[in-house]
Amino acid sequence: MNKPNQPIDVVYTWVDDGFPGYSDALQRYADDPRDSDPNRTRDNLETLRYSLRSVWQHLPDVRSIYIFSCRPQVPSWLDTSHPNINLVHHDEVIATRYLPTFNSFCIVSHLHLLPGVSRQFLYFEDDVLANSDDLMDAMFTPDGHPWVHLESRKVVPHCKLDTATASPWNLSLANADNALTKRFGAKARRHIIHGPQILDCDLLELMCREFPERVEATRNSKFRSGDNIPPEFLARHLALETGAASLAPSALSNKVQGYASVENLRLWTWYQINRINRRKPMSITLNDSFGDTPNPKVETMVKKQLETWFHDPAPWEFPA
């Protein structure tokens, strides 16, 4: 079995725009309709709850679970006194000059500063779920070296993007690719998968030292912006360039990634979930693509599926 050479924590980034005051604060700073996209801040499916259940079910060797969120948010069902749970608020780690932040790139760029976090940790966005007892093995080579899991799609170079219409995500990928090209030379670089990745505190720190202007621009942006970099992408490719990690075989990355875009069209969402049930990937990502108004029938269908996958409460949940 492939095991890491040291203890491993799981780290989540999570917010819920249903908490009082959050949406008001967001609107005070938003100046682009994309900044107010609820797909990135909504927790209507309680995927964090089920993701934590999935970790308890499939990743029993994890040492601790970190949840990085903005003050004063705490899930109502979560017992933060449980010894395996570390809930850390942004203002405990992120400098005051960057707060409040609604930029996931800014938040991820601080994960290596979480107090006591393991040097290598498994990064989960809050819509990612473990779906196999073999998932941790798929994160490491037989000698304990971390894999980097990439998709088959190539990153689009900045020169081929229309900066007026391209999304901040695609522009940020191009920025990261440009930074890596200047440092290590040009090559075709691929997207990271939609799913878990091993991040390394030393590599995140190296990223901040190697690309300080890019990191500072990212941290100064309240929302994702065209001059940002995505740390989860840049740090993973930096690990490959420096030999700190190895490129995973495509067949293994395909087994790890299980992606579904959860949309208001019920039949399409049902098809994607059914495909996951047939494929049985090692992880599941349920990407919120509902738009402004989720379809209640789709919400009910997906919640029933989550309950089927991960029915048993984890020991850090308060009794219902």
Side-chain angles (χ1 to χ4, degrees):
M1 298 179 71
N2 305 346
K3 291 295 181 185
N5 296 322
Q6 55 192 305
I8 290 290
D9 296 333
V10 174
V11 175
Y12 287 88
T13 51
W14 172 82
V15 293
D16 179 3
D17 62 16
F19 268 77
Y22 183 86
S23 291
D24 292 340
L26 185 151
Q27 293 301 327
R28 282 200 299 272
Y29 290 94
D31 56 10
D32 183 313
R34 291 176 295 192
D35 295 343
S36 304
D37 184 357
N39 293 348
R40 294 203 299 268
T41 58
R42 183 169 42 211
D43 192 28
N44 58 320
L45 299 175
E46 287 194 314
T47 48
L48 179 66
R49 180 201 292 263
Y50 291 102
S51 184
L52 287 170
R53 289 183 183 184
S54 79
V55 169
W56 178 58
Q57 181 174 322
H58 291 299
L59 301 174
D61 294 332
V62 162
R63 184 183 67 173
S64 295
I65 295 171
Y66 283 77
I67 301 168
F68 196 31
S69 186
C70 63
R71 190 176 299 278
Q73 295 196 11
V74 179
S76 61
W77 46 266
L78 182 66
D79 180 3
T80 57
S81 69
H82 191 280
N84 292 114
I85 297 295
N86 295 279
L87 191 137
V88 182
H89 287 124
H90 294 168
D91 57 9
E92 298 177 66
V93 174
I94 301 175
T96 303
R97 65 183 180 275
Y98 302 130
L99 295 175
T101 183
F102 309 95
N103 182 355
S104 66
F105 297 154
C106 170
I107 294 165
V108 173
S109 77
H110 289 86
L111 294 184
H112 61 296
L113 302 176
L114 291 168
V117 71
S118 58
R119 185 176 72 80
Q120 294 175 337
F121 57 87
L122 191 58
Y123 173 52
F124 273 32
E125 295 187 23
D126 60 7
D127 58 359
V128 174
L129 307 108
N131 194 44
S132 170
D133 294 350
D134 296 326
L135 177 59
M136 188 64 80
D137 288 346
M139 296 291 109
F140 293 91
T141 67
D143 63 355
H145 204 54
W147 288 122
V148 175
H149 291 288
L150 302 180
E151 291 188 349
S152 58
R153 292 185 302 135
K154 303 296 193 296
V155 172
V156 179
H158 209 288
C159 61
K160 295 185 179 180
L161 293 173
D162 182 346
T163 56
T165 59
S167 70
W169 170 249
N170 285 330
L171 290 170
S172 70
L173 285 172
N175 291 335
D177 179 51
N178 184 56
L180 290 162
T181 294
K182 288 182 178 179
R183 177 67 176 81
F184 299 104
K187 62 182 67 175
R189 295 185 172 91
R190 291 187 280 150
H191 289 256
I192 57 176
I193 64 167
H194 290 277
Q197 293 278 358
I198 291 293
L199 294 182
D200 187 301
C201 289
D202 291 348
L203 263 294
L204 286 167
E205 179 62 36
L206 177 63
M207 177 193 73
C208 294
R209 293 199 307 271
E210 288 282 341
F211 311 106
E213 296 86 1
R214 296 284 191 180
V215 173
E216 184 65 15
T218 300
R219 290 176 170 177
N220 270 312
S221 298
K222 293 297 183 188
F223 300 88
R224 291 180 181 179
S225 177
D227 64 351
N228 290 185
I229 51 91
E232 56 269 46
F233 173 91
L234 184 52
R236 292 283 69 206
H237 278 276
L238 185 59
L240 288 175
E241 296 287 0
T242 59
S246 302
L247 178 60
S250 294
L252 179 60
S253 296
N254 288 338
K255 289 180 181 178
V256 170
Q257 179 175 231
Y259 176 81
S261 177
V262 182
E263 303 181 17
N264 284 325
L265 186 59
R266 187 174 184 274
L267 184 60
W268 173 237
T269 300
W270 173 89
Y271 168 79
Q272 293 181 88
I273 291 175
N274 194 47
R275 185 169 180 266
I276 286 173
N277 285 330
R278 293 196 311 271
R279 283 188 58 227
K280 295 181 171 56
M282 295 183 188
S283 73
I284 301 167
T285 300
L286 298 179
N287 187 63
D288 183 339
S289 301
F290 282 122
D292 292 334
T293 308
N295 181 339
K297 292 183 179 179
V298 177
E299 286 182 310
T300 299
M301 178 183 69
V302 177
K303 286 179 180 179
K304 285 182 178 178
Q305 182 62 73
L306 284 164
E307 190 67 22
T308 299
W309 285 332
F310 309 110
H311 175 71
D312 295 330
W316 41 74
E317 290 183 44
F318 287 123

